Amino acid sequence: MKQSHDSAGLPGRKLKRLLHQLCERAQDDVRRMSSYEESATHQLRVRMKKMMALLRLADAGIETHTLHAMRQHLRAVKNACAGNREQVVQCRLIDKLTRRFHLAPKHRPQLMGAALQAPPASAIHHQLHAMSQLIERTCIESLTEEQILEEHARCYRKGRHLMRQAFETTDKRTLHRWRHRVKDLYFQSLALPQLRGSERRIRRARRLGHFLGRDQDLANLATEPAFAMRRSPWVQVINEHRDHLRERYLSLGHKLYAAPCARFNGKIMSCA
């Protein structure tokens, strides 16, 4: 979903069209995955996250039970290829840390996991087809730009609240929830390029999401038995790297969410 400057705002009809386009492109990703193209798997998961973020903007135009069903379909698609993606990410992270900290090959444990397999294409196609039908049945096109911007401000408010919590804790669940709200802000901002400060917000949200994602990857790696052994050099390596990342994501988070919620709300509403 690239930034678009072809209109002054994002009315409901355009938001609905964006959701349909993402669904169609996701079907193309699934077809590319049949030969196990790694980039297709990654792109498919990204599109599901984009759709999740845009659905939050459309909350006022979707009935509760329909919204729940749509999120279930998106999660099903994401989960269908999560195993493959996580294993690839972990292997790359191990290689990167091995080089960065000059660890000898004998200290590089092997991940225990099943061989990579392409996710079941027929099941994913079914989920996406059902999702497309649900999008068509909603009244998203009746949403005003003001209603959409109200949901955008609500996303910002939730992210700012979680950012403040992150300053007080290293709880993995809190950081995970914050990362989701940062991703929502990023994808929503891409769809709302006309808002004041959008370019800076997009840049910061993208980088912050990267830092939080890397921290989560490290936290997951630390739970692997081969990396959690008491005398393993990996324990120190992972902890040092996470400490360094924490300084960076807290600093960037403060910049991204510097504006109080009321001021942010007033700023974006002035663009409507």
Side-chain angles (χ1 to χ4, degrees), residues 75-100:
R75 289 192 187 101
V77 174
K78 268 181 58 181
N79 293 338
C81 47
N84 284 352
R85 182 62 189 164
E86 287 174 5
Q87 190 170 347
V88 169
V89 168
Q90 284 194 332
C91 287
R92 287 180 175 173
L93 180 57
I94 294 167
D95 290 338
K96 181 177 180 179
L97 293 176
T98 300
R99 292 192 301 270
R100 177 170 179 175

PDB file of all heavy atoms in Angstrom, residues 75-100:
ATOM      1  N   ARG A  75      -6.486 -13.422  10.824  1.00  0.00           N
ATOM      2  CA  ARG A  75      -5.582 -14.156  11.719  1.00  0.00           C
ATOM      3  C   ARG A  75      -5.316 -15.568  11.190  1.00  0.00           C
ATOM      4  O   ARG A  75      -4.201 -16.080  11.307  1.00  0.00           O
ATOM      5  CB  ARG A  75      -6.185 -14.235  13.124  1.00  0.00           C
ATOM      6  CG  ARG A  75      -6.195 -12.898  13.859  1.00  0.00           C
ATOM      7  CD  ARG A  75      -6.515 -13.082  15.331  1.00  0.00           C
ATOM      8  NE  ARG A  75      -6.677 -11.804  15.999  1.00  0.00           N
ATOM      9  CZ  ARG A  75      -7.839 -11.254  16.297  1.00  0.00           C
ATOM     10  NH1 ARG A  75      -8.968 -11.885  15.989  1.00  0.00           N
ATOM     11  NH2 ARG A  75      -7.907 -10.076  16.902  1.00  0.00           N
ATOM     12  N   ALA A  76      -6.330 -16.183  10.624  1.00  0.00           N
ATOM     13  CA  ALA A  76      -6.159 -17.536  10.081  1.00  0.00           C
ATOM     14  C   ALA A  76      -5.120 -17.545   8.967  1.00  0.00           C
ATOM     15  O   ALA A  76      -4.290 -18.460   8.876  1.00  0.00           O
ATOM     16  CB  ALA A  76      -7.505 -18.073   9.577  1.00  0.00           C
ATOM     17  N   VAL A  77      -5.160 -16.536   8.100  1.00  0.00           N
ATOM     18  CA  VAL A  77      -4.188 -16.453   7.009  1.00  0.00           C
ATOM     19  C   VAL A  77      -2.793 -16.205   7.578  1.00  0.00           C
ATOM     20  O   VAL A  77      -1.813 -16.842   7.169  1.00  0.00           O
ATOM     21  CB  VAL A  77      -4.568 -15.326   6.025  1.00  0.00           C
ATOM     22  CG1 VAL A  77      -3.484 -15.150   4.966  1.00  0.00           C
ATOM     23  CG2 VAL A  77      -5.901 -15.633   5.353  1.00  0.00           C
ATOM     24  N   LYS A  78      -2.676 -15.265   8.516  1.00  0.00           N
ATOM     25  CA  LYS A  78      -1.376 -14.972   9.123  1.00  0.00           C
ATOM     26  C   LYS A  78      -0.789 -16.209   9.791  1.00  0.00           C
ATOM     27  O   LYS A  78       0.388 -16.526   9.623  1.00  0.00           O
ATOM     28  CB  LYS A  78      -1.530 -13.864  10.170  1.00  0.00           C
ATOM     29  CG  LYS A  78      -1.314 -12.456   9.649  1.00  0.00           C
ATOM     30  CD  LYS A  78      -1.467 -11.432  10.749  1.00  0.00           C
ATOM     31  CE  LYS A  78      -0.492 -11.701  11.868  1.00  0.00           C
ATOM     32  NZ  LYS A  78      -0.648 -10.723  12.982  1.00  0.00           N
ATOM     33  N   ASN A  79      -1.616 -16.902  10.552  1.00  0.00           N
ATOM     34  CA  ASN A  79      -1.129 -18.071  11.302  1.00  0.00           C
ATOM     35  C   ASN A  79      -0.749 -19.228  10.387  1.00  0.00           C
ATOM     36  O   ASN A  79       0.109 -20.043  10.731  1.00  0.00           O
ATOM     37  CB  ASN A  79      -2.185 -18.534  12.305  1.00  0.00           C
ATOM     38  CG  ASN A  79      -2.419 -17.527  13.412  1.00  0.00           C
ATOM     39  OD1 ASN A  79      -1.563 -16.690  13.682  1.00  0.00           O
ATOM     40  ND2 ASN A  79      -3.574 -17.596  14.060  1.00  0.00           N
ATOM     41  N   ALA A  80      -1.381 -19.297   9.225  1.00  0.00           N
ATOM     42  CA  ALA A  80      -1.105 -20.403   8.300  1.00  0.00           C
ATOM     43  C   ALA A  80       0.340 -20.387   7.808  1.00  0.00           C
ATOM     44  O   ALA A  80       0.904 -21.439   7.486  1.00  0.00           O
ATOM     45  CB  ALA A  80      -2.060 -20.342   7.108  1.00  0.00           C
ATOM     46  N   CYS A  81       0.931 -19.200   7.741  1.00  0.00           N
ATOM     47  CA  CYS A  81       2.317 -19.122   7.261  1.00  0.00           C
ATOM     48  C   CYS A  81       3.257 -18.563   8.318  1.00  0.00           C
ATOM     49  O   CYS A  81       4.387 -18.187   8.003  1.00  0.00           O
ATOM     50  CB  CYS A  81       2.394 -18.297   5.980  1.00  0.00           C
ATOM     51  SG  CYS A  81       1.516 -16.730   6.029  1.00  0.00           S
ATOM     52  N   ALA A  82       2.808 -18.512   9.569  1.00  0.00           N
ATOM     53  CA  ALA A  82       3.634 -17.955  10.640  1.00  0.00           C
ATOM     54  C   ALA A  82       4.859 -18.809  10.923  1.00  0.00           C
ATOM     55  O   ALA A  82       5.960 -18.291  11.129  1.00  0.00           O
ATOM     56  CB  ALA A  82       2.809 -17.784  11.909  1.00  0.00           C
ATOM     57  N   GLY A  83       4.676 -20.139  10.927  1.00  0.00           N
ATOM     58  CA  GLY A  83       5.790 -21.030  11.257  1.00  0.00           C
ATOM     59  C   GLY A  83       6.956 -20.877  10.311  1.00  0.00           C
ATOM     60  O   GLY A  83       8.108 -20.764  10.724  1.00  0.00           O
ATOM     61  N   ASN A  84       6.654 -20.858   9.014  1.00  0.00           N
ATOM     62  CA  ASN A  84       7.708 -20.689   8.018  1.00  0.00           C
ATOM     63  C   ASN A  84       8.444 -19.366   8.208  1.00  0.00           C
ATOM     64  O   ASN A  84       9.670 -19.308   8.183  1.00  0.00           O
ATOM     65  CB  ASN A  84       7.097 -20.723   6.611  1.00  0.00           C
ATOM     66  CG  ASN A  84       6.736 -22.134   6.188  1.00  0.00           C
ATOM     67  OD1 ASN A  84       7.074 -23.091   6.866  1.00  0.00           O
ATOM     68  ND2 ASN A  84       6.041 -22.247   5.078  1.00  0.00           N
ATOM     69  N   ARG A  85       7.675 -18.302   8.393  1.00  0.00           N
ATOM     70  CA  ARG A  85       8.272 -16.979   8.506  1.00  0.00           C
ATOM     71  C   ARG A  85       9.141 -16.869   9.755  1.00  0.00           C
ATOM     72  O   ARG A  85      10.253 -16.339   9.710  1.00  0.00           O
ATOM     73  CB  ARG A  85       7.160 -15.926   8.539  1.00  0.00           C
ATOM     74  CG  ARG A  85       7.674 -14.487   8.616  1.00  0.00           C
ATOM     75  CD  ARG A  85       8.491 -14.149   7.396  1.00  0.00           C
ATOM     76  NE  ARG A  85       9.156 -12.856   7.548  1.00  0.00           N
ATOM     77  CZ  ARG A  85      10.147 -12.449   6.803  1.00  0.00           C
ATOM     78  NH1 ARG A  85      10.610 -13.218   5.840  1.00  0.00           N
ATOM     79  NH2 ARG A  85      10.689 -11.262   6.983  1.00  0.00           N
ATOM     80  N   GLU A  86       8.659 -17.378  10.884  1.00  0.00           N
ATOM     81  CA  GLU A  86       9.396 -17.269  12.140  1.00  0.00           C
ATOM     82  C   GLU A  86      10.709 -18.047  12.079  1.00  0.00           C
ATOM     83  O   GLU A  86      11.731 -17.596  12.598  1.00  0.00           O
ATOM     84  CB  GLU A  86       8.531 -17.770  13.296  1.00  0.00           C
ATOM     85  CG  GLU A  86       7.399 -16.810  13.652  1.00  0.00           C
ATOM     86  CD  GLU A  86       6.470 -17.368  14.700  1.00  0.00           C
ATOM     87  OE1 GLU A  86       6.765 -18.478  15.220  1.00  0.00           O
ATOM     88  OE2 GLU A  86       5.449 -16.728  14.991  1.00  0.00           O
ATOM     89  N   GLN A  87      10.695 -19.209  11.426  1.00  0.00           N
ATOM     90  CA  GLN A  87      11.917 -19.996  11.339  1.00  0.00           C
ATOM     91  C   GLN A  87      12.964 -19.290  10.480  1.00  0.00           C
ATOM     92  O   GLN A  87      14.151 -19.270  10.813  1.00  0.00           O
ATOM     93  CB  GLN A  87      11.612 -21.383  10.767  1.00  0.00           C
ATOM     94  CG  GLN A  87      12.790 -22.344  10.878  1.00  0.00           C
ATOM     95  CD  GLN A  87      12.404 -23.765  10.543  1.00  0.00           C
ATOM     96  OE1 GLN A  87      11.230 -24.104  10.452  1.00  0.00           O
ATOM     97  NE2 GLN A  87      13.388 -24.617  10.347  1.00  0.00           N
ATOM     98  N   VAL A  88      12.518 -18.689   9.380  1.00  0.00           N
ATOM     99  CA  VAL A  88      13.444 -17.947   8.518  1.00  0.00           C
ATOM    100  C   VAL A  88      14.031 -16.768   9.271  1.00  0.00           C
ATOM    101  O   VAL A  88      15.244 -16.498   9.221  1.00  0.00           O
ATOM    102  CB  VAL A  88      12.715 -17.463   7.245  1.00  0.00           C
ATOM    103  CG1 VAL A  88      13.590 -16.476   6.473  1.00  0.00           C
ATOM    104  CG2 VAL A  88      12.353 -18.642   6.347  1.00  0.00           C
ATOM    105  N   VAL A  89      13.180 -16.013   9.999  1.00  0.00           N
ATOM    106  CA  VAL A  89      13.635 -14.840  10.751  1.00  0.00           C
ATOM    107  C   VAL A  89      14.637 -15.236  11.816  1.00  0.00           C
ATOM    108  O   VAL A  89      15.669 -14.579  12.006  1.00  0.00           O
ATOM    109  CB  VAL A  89      12.425 -14.118  11.388  1.00  0.00           C
ATOM    110  CG1 VAL A  89      12.897 -13.084  12.410  1.00  0.00           C
ATOM    111  CG2 VAL A  89      11.584 -13.440  10.306  1.00  0.00           C
ATOM    112  N   GLN A  90      14.357 -16.324  12.534  1.00  0.00           N
ATOM    113  CA  GLN A  90      15.265 -16.758  13.598  1.00  0.00           C
ATOM    114  C   GLN A  90      16.619 -17.175  13.043  1.00  0.00           C
ATOM    115  O   GLN A  90      17.663 -16.836  13.620  1.00  0.00           O
ATOM    116  CB  GLN A  90      14.639 -17.902  14.385  1.00  0.00           C
ATOM    117  CG  GLN A  90      13.559 -17.453  15.356  1.00  0.00           C
ATOM    118  CD  GLN A  90      13.193 -18.535  16.347  1.00  0.00           C
ATOM    119  OE1 GLN A  90      13.314 -19.734  16.061  1.00  0.00           O
ATOM    120  NE2 GLN A  90      12.730 -18.141  17.514  1.00  0.00           N
ATOM    121  N   CYS A  91      16.635 -17.886  11.925  1.00  0.00           N
ATOM    122  CA  CYS A  91      17.910 -18.306  11.333  1.00  0.00           C
ATOM    123  C   CYS A  91      18.745 -17.098  10.908  1.00  0.00           C
ATOM    124  O   CYS A  91      19.960 -17.065  11.127  1.00  0.00           O
ATOM    125  CB  CYS A  91      17.649 -19.215  10.129  1.00  0.00           C
ATOM    126  SG  CYS A  91      17.071 -20.879  10.571  1.00  0.00           S
ATOM    127  N   ARG A  92      18.100 -16.096  10.323  1.00  0.00           N
ATOM    128  CA  ARG A  92      18.819 -14.894   9.911  1.00  0.00           C
ATOM    129  C   ARG A  92      19.339 -14.125  11.124  1.00  0.00           C
ATOM    130  O   ARG A  92      20.445 -13.578  11.098  1.00  0.00           O
ATOM    131  CB  ARG A  92      17.900 -14.002   9.081  1.00  0.00           C
ATOM    132  CG  ARG A  92      17.626 -14.537   7.688  1.00  0.00           C
ATOM    133  CD  ARG A  92      16.707 -13.617   6.924  1.00  0.00           C
ATOM    134  NE  ARG A  92      16.532 -14.075   5.540  1.00  0.00           N
ATOM    135  CZ  ARG A  92      15.665 -13.526   4.691  1.00  0.00           C
ATOM    136  NH1 ARG A  92      14.913 -12.507   5.076  1.00  0.00           N
ATOM    137  NH2 ARG A  92      15.556 -13.991   3.460  1.00  0.00           N
ATOM    138  N   LEU A  93      18.541 -14.084  12.181  1.00  0.00           N
ATOM    139  CA  LEU A  93      18.960 -13.370  13.386  1.00  0.00           C
ATOM    140  C   LEU A  93      20.163 -14.049  14.028  1.00  0.00           C
ATOM    141  O   LEU A  93      21.108 -13.379  14.473  1.00  0.00           O
ATOM    142  CB  LEU A  93      17.792 -13.325  14.381  1.00  0.00           C
ATOM    143  CG  LEU A  93      18.051 -12.606  15.713  1.00  0.00           C
ATOM    144  CD1 LEU A  93      18.498 -11.172  15.482  1.00  0.00           C
ATOM    145  CD2 LEU A  93      16.784 -12.643  16.574  1.00  0.00           C
ATOM    146  N   ILE A  94      20.157 -15.367  14.063  1.00  0.00           N
ATOM    147  CA  ILE A  94      21.287 -16.108  14.626  1.00  0.00           C
ATOM    148  C   ILE A  94      22.558 -15.836  13.827  1.00  0.00           C
ATOM    149  O   ILE A  94      23.632 -15.592  14.392  1.00  0.00           O
ATOM    150  CB  ILE A  94      20.975 -17.619  14.644  1.00  0.00           C
ATOM    151  CG1 ILE A  94      19.831 -17.906  15.622  1.00  0.00           C
ATOM    152  CG2 ILE A  94      22.217 -18.421  15.051  1.00  0.00           C
ATOM    153  CD1 ILE A  94      19.257 -19.304  15.486  1.00  0.00           C
ATOM    154  N   ASP A  95      22.440 -15.858  12.504  1.00  0.00           N
ATOM    155  CA  ASP A  95      23.604 -15.580  11.657  1.00  0.00           C
ATOM    156  C   ASP A  95      24.149 -14.179  11.913  1.00  0.00           C
ATOM    157  O   ASP A  95      25.365 -13.970  12.010  1.00  0.00           O
ATOM    158  CB  ASP A  95      23.230 -15.723  10.178  1.00  0.00           C
ATOM    159  CG  ASP A  95      22.974 -17.170   9.777  1.00  0.00           C
ATOM    160  OD1 ASP A  95      23.474 -18.065  10.480  1.00  0.00           O
ATOM    161  OD2 ASP A  95      22.280 -17.385   8.765  1.00  0.00           O
ATOM    162  N   LYS A  96      23.240 -13.212  12.036  1.00  0.00           N
ATOM    163  CA  LYS A  96      23.659 -11.828  12.244  1.00  0.00           C
ATOM    164  C   LYS A  96      24.367 -11.658  13.587  1.00  0.00           C
ATOM    165  O   LYS A  96      25.423 -11.015  13.670  1.00  0.00           O
ATOM    166  CB  LYS A  96      22.434 -10.907  12.188  1.00  0.00           C
ATOM    167  CG  LYS A  96      22.779  -9.436  12.375  1.00  0.00           C
ATOM    168  CD  LYS A  96      21.538  -8.559  12.226  1.00  0.00           C
ATOM    169  CE  LYS A  96      21.880  -7.091  12.407  1.00  0.00           C
ATOM    170  NZ  LYS A  96      20.673  -6.219  12.231  1.00  0.00           N
ATOM    171  N   LEU A  97      23.808 -12.245  14.644  1.00  0.00           N
ATOM    172  CA  LEU A  97      24.420 -12.120  15.964  1.00  0.00           C
ATOM    173  C   LEU A  97      25.747 -12.870  16.045  1.00  0.00           C
ATOM    174  O   LEU A  97      26.674 -12.439  16.730  1.00  0.00           O
ATOM    175  CB  LEU A  97      23.452 -12.630  17.031  1.00  0.00           C
ATOM    176  CG  LEU A  97      22.180 -11.795  17.243  1.00  0.00           C
ATOM    177  CD1 LEU A  97      21.263 -12.454  18.259  1.00  0.00           C
ATOM    178  CD2 LEU A  97      22.528 -10.373  17.685  1.00  0.00           C
ATOM    179  N   THR A  98      25.832 -14.002  15.359  1.00  0.00           N
ATOM    180  CA  THR A  98      27.083 -14.761  15.341  1.00  0.00           C
ATOM    181  C   THR A  98      28.207 -13.926  14.749  1.00  0.00           C
ATOM    182  O   THR A  98      29.332 -13.899  15.269  1.00  0.00           O
ATOM    183  CB  THR A  98      26.908 -16.059  14.527  1.00  0.00           C
ATOM    184  OG1 THR A  98      25.884 -16.863  15.124  1.00  0.00           O
ATOM    185  CG2 THR A  98      28.196 -16.861  14.501  1.00  0.00           C
ATOM    186  N   ARG A  99      27.899 -13.220  13.648  1.00  0.00           N
ATOM    187  CA  ARG A  99      28.917 -12.361  13.022  1.00  0.00           C
ATOM    188  C   ARG A  99      29.226 -11.141  13.874  1.00  0.00           C
ATOM    189  O   ARG A  99      30.390 -10.778  14.053  1.00  0.00           O
ATOM    190  CB  ARG A  99      28.435 -11.922  11.634  1.00  0.00           C
ATOM    191  CG  ARG A  99      28.342 -13.036  10.602  1.00  0.00           C
ATOM    192  CD  ARG A  99      28.147 -12.469   9.206  1.00  0.00           C
ATOM    193  NE  ARG A  99      26.943 -11.649   9.112  1.00  0.00           N
ATOM    194  CZ  ARG A  99      25.753 -12.123   8.777  1.00  0.00           C
ATOM    195  NH1 ARG A  99      25.601 -13.418   8.509  1.00  0.00           N
ATOM    196  NH2 ARG A  99      24.703 -11.319   8.701  1.00  0.00           N
ATOM    197  N   ARG A 100      28.188 -10.522  14.405  1.00  0.00           N
ATOM    198  CA  ARG A 100      28.390  -9.285  15.158  1.00  0.00           C
ATOM    199  C   ARG A 100      29.216  -9.494  16.416  1.00  0.00           C
ATOM    200  O   ARG A 100      30.068  -8.671  16.768  1.00  0.00           O
ATOM    201  CB  ARG A 100      27.035  -8.673  15.517  1.00  0.00           C
ATOM    202  CG  ARG A 100      27.156  -7.416  16.368  1.00  0.00           C
ATOM    203  CD  ARG A 100      25.852  -6.701  16.510  1.00  0.00           C
ATOM    204  NE  ARG A 100      25.986  -5.517  17.341  1.00  0.00           N
ATOM    205  CZ  ARG A 100      25.029  -4.638  17.567  1.00  0.00           C
ATOM    206  NH1 ARG A 100      23.855  -4.813  16.999  1.00  0.00           N
ATOM    207  NH2 ARG A 100      25.223  -3.598  18.343  1.00  0.00           N
TER     208      ARG A 100
END
